[in-house]
Amino acid sequence: MKYSGFKVIKEALTGHRGWGPAWRSPEPCSEYDYVVIGGGGHGLATAYYLAKEFKQSRIAVLEKGWIGGGNVGRNTTIIRSNYLLDGNEPFYEFSLKLWEGLEKELNYNAMVSQRGILNLIHSDAQRDAFVRRGNAMLLNGADADLLSKEQIQKRYPFLNTENARFPVKGGLAQHRGGTVRHDAVAWGYARAADSYGVDIIQNCEVTGFKIEKGVCLGVETTKGFIKAKTVGACVAGSSSRLMQMAGMRLPIESHVLQAFVSEGLKPLLPGVITFGAGHFYCSQSDKGGLVFGGDIDGYNSYAQRGNLPVVEDVCEGGMAIFPMLGRVRLLRMWGGIMDMSMDGSPIIDKTDISGLYFNGGWCYGGFKATPASGWVYAHLLATKEPHKTARSFRFDRFSKGLMIDEKGMGNQPNLH
Ligand SMILES: Cc1cc2nc3c(=O)[nH]c(=O)nc-3n(C[C@H](O)[C@H](O)[C@H](O)COP(=O)(O)OP(=O)(O)OC[C@H]3O[C@@H](n4cnc5c(N)ncnc54)[C@H](O)[C@@H]3O)c2cc1C
């Protein structure tokens, strides 16, 4: 069923009786060519690109809960490609380009809104670092714009640019960055993958792997054993727990990260703003709520809930730069589990077990990576070769000392 403006009007006039389910709910088959574990954004995107771009079939996505119940439906919805390092920037720019055409491609309104992202600069040293990053972005075909303090004051008059401790000295803007409605991304990919025959099986937890003589033969699940030629793990915050079942210990820790939404306000924030001296980032949703976040909770956990001291810490960061926030009521907040890798960058690689592949270590930043992560992981699963933008995301970079240690892009494991 194709979605269109015409269809919406037709259904509105005929009692909304023509809408079908967006995807099927099949029972699992006993065998697949590809089993993708985890029905988050990355798992669903992987299945979709496997079917669409790599013309593969007999694909299943196994999700222990429901589609959109993990981090894909819990994040602060920011997309951008403002990275510095060679291992990262081409990949995130590839992702941003995929976001730009995604709604048309999926025939789904994911509310991709390129309202821009602004990183505030608070010291001369930080300006030097941002200029360097902006140049790296331009060299990789991304957009970057260095704004002066005066330009920022004009565009964002509500910012406390004269803060005694954290004066604003400028900012690095990426005008193509922005926000996307997070759970709609999961639904859009699920619907599109289903239309290519992918089985999306919810309430089906993987509880073990069948591995014989170094070969993965399939997965044990709460719905029975499922044989598979290729198994792709893609469970974000649950990565260490899942891979432990295959006897692997990962360079990944799981931490809680919280997100916050205020009461609805009139349009106020034109785009995403990040505070460079503390840790605070904020955008305004189409419903009017300010959507913001800050640091991780600082202890290892698999619980999807956070603690109160971090609420105070994040709101303090917000108040330092947006003093007007003090008058706004906080409506709700929630937590998600972050798979923090030890250099802040992801891993998309084969494992030592034949037929078993891994995708994880996304830290704070996996939502913006969703389309590219799905594409390059599908490339790896289908061709057994890494995609050119993801060649550095290997396991052995830790043993070889080839870390992609992107400062300020997520994790600082030494602090937690
Ligand atoms: C509060 C918060 C704010 C964030 N903000 C941003 C942001 O603004 N921008 C950005 O780029 N990123 C952000 N992120 C990070 C981003 O959301 C994640 O990196 C990304 O969503 C992870 O990939 P995913 O969507 O596939 O994960 P998930 O949606 O978590 O998918 C993994 C799935 O695996 C399933 N699973 C786990 N174990 C099993 C099992 N044994 N069997 C079967 N299924 C299993 C889970 O139920 C889950 O549905 C944020 C994260 C949080 C928590």
Side-chain angles (χ1 to χ4, degrees):
M1 176 180 39
K2 189 153 164 45
Y3 292 161
S4 65
F6 173 73
K7 173 85 179 152
V8 171
I9 294 167
K10 186 177 164 220
E11 288 302 324
L13 296 174
T14 54
H16 291 287
R17 281 185 284 270
W19 300 114
W23 57 85
R24 299 162 297 129
S25 291
E27 282 305 306
C29 302
S30 58
E31 191 180 344
Y32 289 95
D33 286 354
Y34 296 91
V35 159
V36 178
I37 311 172
H42 294 214
L44 293 163
T46 303
Y48 168 71
Y49 292 118
L50 263 175
K52 159 123 197 290
E53 296 299 328
F54 298 94
K55 315 286 177 235
Q56 302 299 304
S57 55
R58 302 196 339 131
I59 305 163
V61 177
L62 309 182
E63 166 53 47
K64 78 170 176 191
W66 65 95
I67 298 304
N71 283 352
V72 68
R74 290 169 177 265
N75 60 69
T76 36
T77 77
I78 301 166
I79 60 164
R80 57 189 167 83
S81 71
N82 51 1
Y83 284 66
L84 168 72
L85 299 181
D86 276 349
N88 277 331
E89 181 58 16
F91 170 82
Y92 285 100
E93 180 53 21
F94 176 44
S95 205
L96 196 49
K97 290 209 169 80
L98 290 173
W99 282 117
E100 286 171 336
L102 193 76
E103 292 173 299
K104 249 194 179 150
E105 156 134 23
L106 299 183
N107 177 228
Y108 203 86
N109 180 8
M111 295 165 75
V112 177
S113 169
Q114 291 181 288
R115 53 186 73 182
I117 177 164
L118 172 68
N119 300 133
L120 295 173
I121 295 170
H122 304 274
S123 68
D124 292 342
Q126 202 171 30
R127 181 187 293 111
D128 289 349
F130 276 126
V131 168
R132 186 171 169 225
R133 190 193 296 177
N135 282 331
M137 291 161 64
L138 294 174
L139 285 172
N140 280 292
D143 64 308
D145 191 6
L146 196 68
L147 300 185
S148 66
K149 178 178 172 180
E150 291 67 38
Q151 285 172 304
I152 289 175
Q153 280 171 326
K154 209 167 155 202
R155 285 187 202 184
Y156 310 98
F158 49 83
L159 284 179
N160 183 10
T161 48
E162 307 298 341
N163 185 304
R165 280 182 73 199
F166 312 118
V168 173
K169 297 197 160 200
L172 180 67
Q174 184 177 33
H175 302 301
R176 287 165 58 241
T179 57
V180 181
R181 175 159 176 183
H182 47 195
D183 36 19
V185 173
W187 302 330
Y189 272 119
R191 175 172 170 271
D194 178 87
S195 72
Y196 280 94
V198 172
D199 283 355
I200 297 166
I201 301 157
Q202 303 183 72
N203 299 309
C204 180
E205 181 171 359
V206 170
T207 52
F209 296 90
K210 187 168 181 188
I211 298 166
E212 280 175 13
K213 296 187 181 138
V215 180
C216 181
L217 302 175
V219 290
E220 302 289 352
T221 79
T222 45
K223 292 186 185 245
F225 175 69
I226 300 175
K227 202 171 163 192
K229 288 185 185 141
T230 301
V231 176
C234 204
V235 296
S238 303
S239 291
S240 356
R241 284 204 291 195
L242 181 78
M243 298 314 278
Q244 201 174 24
M245 297 176 200
M248 289 180 63
R249 189 152 178 252
L250 301 178
I252 287 176
E253 285 184 3
S254 286
H255 285 264
V256 180
L257 176 67
Q258 300 189 52
F260 306 84
V261 178
S262 79
E263 62 186 321
L265 305 173
K266 284 185 178 169
L268 166 79
L269 278 191
V272 184
I273 301 186
T274 75
F275 173 35
H279 196 174
F280 178 81
Y281 45 90
C282 190
S283 63
Q284 187 168 19
S285 78
D286 291 333
K287 278 197 286 186
L290 298 179
V291 181
F292 54 95
D295 215 346
I296 53 178
D297 272 36
Y299 54 88
N300 294 27
S301 174
Y302 292 108
Q304 294 189 126
R305 61 174 179 274
N307 71 54
L308 287 172
V310 170
V311 179
E312 193 179 358
D313 181 65
V314 171
C315 292
E316 244 175 45
M319 286 287 290
I321 198 69
F322 299 147
M324 56 161 186
L325 265 189
R327 307 272 301 274
V328 176
R329 273 169 297 194
L330 189 56
L331 204 62
R332 57 203 165 90
M333 74 256 202
W334 59 86
I337 319 168
M338 316 298 307
D339 38 335
M340 309 296 283
S341 67
M342 291 299 108
D343 62 355
S345 298
I347 300 166
I348 304 177
D349 204 357
K350 58 180 170 8
T351 70
D352 287 339
I353 300 159
S354 177
L356 179 58
Y357 294 76
F358 178 76
N359 175 324
W362 290 102
C363 304
Y364 287 126
F367 178 63
K368 70 180 76 63
T370 305
S373 168
W375 185 299
V376 305
Y377 200 30
H379 184 285
L380 178 68
L381 298 182
T383 67
K384 314 300 176 208
E385 292 295 328
H387 185 268
K388 62 176 185 218
T389 64
R391 278 198 196 112
S392 310
F393 299 153
R394 302 161 56 111
F395 276 115
D396 66 5
R397 71 174 187 264
F398 297 98
S399 59
K400 290 188 170 162
L402 300 172
M403 258 78 90
I404 318 168
D405 211 345
E406 183 93 35
K407 185 165 176 347
M409 282 307 169
N411 86 327
Q412 286 169 294
N414 54 323
L415 294 182
H416 305 294

